[in-house]
Amino acid sequence: MGNLQSIADAYRKKYNSEPLIVRSPGRVNLIGEHTDYNLGSVLPGAIDKYIYFAVGTRTDDDINIDAADYSDQFTASLTKLEPAWKLWPNYILGVISEFQKAGKYLSGMNIVFGGDIPLSAGMSSSAAISSATAFALNKVFNSGYSKVELARIAVAAEHNYLGVKCGIMDQYVNLFGKESHLVRLDCRTEQHEYIPFNAGNIRIVLFDSGVRHNLVKLTAAFNALRTQCQTGLELVKKHVPDVAALPDITESMLMQFVKPVDELAYKRCLYIVQEENRLKSICADLKKEDFVSVGQRMFENHYGLRDLYEVSCNECDFLVDTARQTHGVLGSRMMGAGFGGCTINLVYSDMIEDVIDKLKTAYKSNFNKDLKVYMASIGNGTEVVTAESLVQ
Ligand code: GLA
């Protein structure tokens, strides 16, 4: 796994020059799952796991990319940019293409990147790569984009080069993350408020089910969910024309106008409407530092994702149910797009070891798999790291 030093060294060794290096974080999401593309709210935080992205310009049109962690390379040209036949380069090429479409000046470039964000675990390693690319190109070529514009560019890259119709949560928190704060983002207005998260005696622990989604299947499922939500919205709009998005809708509207026509759309939309309300309540709980209530709502979220949105998996359900019966855990739920990945858990600091032991043992005996565990602290969004920070 790459770190700042190894990525900087690899770049210098290969290109014999000093790159610009940005450090781009993964993220957790306390609540507000699948609400972003429904123009609801989310409550993520950037975490202390990173992609390091080193870039320098070239005098020709070549694009050379080294994925240090995969010991893999990809080359492309600015003059004939198109989606790559393999996956990972597209998170970078897609961003370059958006800069090109906007008519921004670019030259060829050399890129080396790598880091320690676990892949496909629901911590947004891919958004960290595309956001890092957007942030770094904006610096190197003085493109003049604001951070929210960079987030939109990274989202467009994912839509156009990967075909995943994701929302803006991951890219936004990647760029706006702030140490010890969660980002309460309204995805309709694209404005945020920072919510302090410095629970002294509580830590965020991630349990990794080890179940990994297949991107093709995930993309199809993700895009289908989006369509089902849109169907529900359109059905309500026929009767209540002034609703613009699902957060404007009530459970009784869904019951009246969607349930009789489309049961699946009803379930999806019901989850979103309930999730919006949970998010508001959690923000109030956090202001009061009522973590017991925060935890309860996390469990409720999980059951909504499992039963109504139907994006969980057996392993994540097991992890949440076991956590619920474990002394020291306040809340637990699956995190991210779903179909595998991690659960996010709030755990009392002085009981962390007992909790981890219990979950590991139960997971092993039930699935015969080793449970990976990550501690996550809330850190800053993407930033330039200087040569001085290399020697610290
Ligand atoms: C993925 C997407 C996000 C969001 C989450 C689910 O991480 O990239 O936009 O929709 O799933 O909350």
Side-chain angles (χ1 to χ4, degrees), residues 11-28:
Y11 186 98
R12 288 176 183 140
K13 191 164 168 219
K14 183 156 180 181
Y15 298 109
N16 199 21
S17 62
E18 274 306 308
L20 173 94
I21 305 178
V22 305
R23 190 181 74 164
S24 173
R27 64 109 184 90
V28 290

Side-chain angles (χ1 to χ4, degrees), residues 208-335:
D208 189 345
S209 67
V211 178
R212 293 294 181 259
H213 53 247
N214 158 317
L215 194 80
V216 176
K217 276 199 193 142
L218 180 78
T219 303
F222 196 95
N223 295 348
L225 288 164
R226 212 177 156 131
T227 309
Q228 288 152 7
C229 290
Q230 192 60 32
T231 303
L233 176 64
E234 295 304 327
L235 285 169
V236 176
K237 268 188 177 172
K238 278 191 195 158
H239 301 272
V240 195
D242 60 341
V243 297
L246 284 184
D248 303 333
I249 284 175
T250 60
E251 286 192 29
S252 79
M253 289 180 198
L254 292 176
M255 185 62 112
Q256 244 184 304
F257 307 127
V258 185
K259 190 169 170 52
V261 185
D262 189 329
E263 179 70 27
L264 197 60
Y266 170 73
K267 279 164 73 175
R268 306 301 189 239
C269 295
L270 180 61
Y271 163 78
I272 297 294
V273 169
Q274 292 178 345
E275 183 72 344
E276 271 303 299
N277 292 329
R278 270 194 292 270
L279 187 135
K280 285 189 193 119
S281 309
I282 277 203
C283 289
D285 292 340
L286 284 173
K287 286 197 176 128
K288 289 183 279 175
E289 299 198 358
D290 182 350
F291 286 98
V292 173
S293 180
V294 169
Q296 281 311 312
R297 296 182 208 282
M298 290 171 73
F299 288 118
E300 286 166 22
N301 159 281
H302 184 78
Y303 303 131
L305 288 167
R306 183 189 67 187
D307 302 333
L308 295 174
Y309 222 64
E310 298 179 288
V311 292
S312 188
C313 63
N314 289 339
E315 288 83 346
C316 287
D317 293 343
F318 177 85
L319 287 171
V320 171
D321 289 342
T322 312
R324 190 162 203 182
Q325 293 154 18
T326 302
H327 194 49
V329 178
L330 289 130
S332 176
R333 64 178 206 81
M334 59 141 275
M335 187 180 75

Side-chain angles (χ1 to χ4, degrees), residues 1-23 50-55 66-71 111-117 385-387 389-392:
M1 281 193 308
N3 56 35
L4 179 52
Q5 191 71 63
S6 70
I7 297 301
D9 287 349
Y11 186 98
R12 288 176 183 140
K13 191 164 168 219
K14 183 156 180 181
Y15 298 109
N16 199 21
S17 62
E18 274 306 308
L20 173 94
I21 305 178
V22 305
R23 190 181 74 164
Y50 304 100
I51 294 289
Y52 298 94
F53 187 93
V55 58
D66 277 55
D69 296 333
Y70 326 137
S71 302
I111 293 168
V112 179
F113 76 96
D116 62 2
I117 309 175
V385 280
T386 60
S389 62
L390 285 179
V391 290
Q392 269 171 14

Side-chain angles (χ1 to χ4, degrees), residues 27 33-34 36-37 166-167 169-170 222 336-337:
R27 64 109 184 90
E33 214 66 270
H34 286 279
D36 60 353
Y37 54 87
C166 63
M169 166 169 74
D170 304 342
F222 196 95

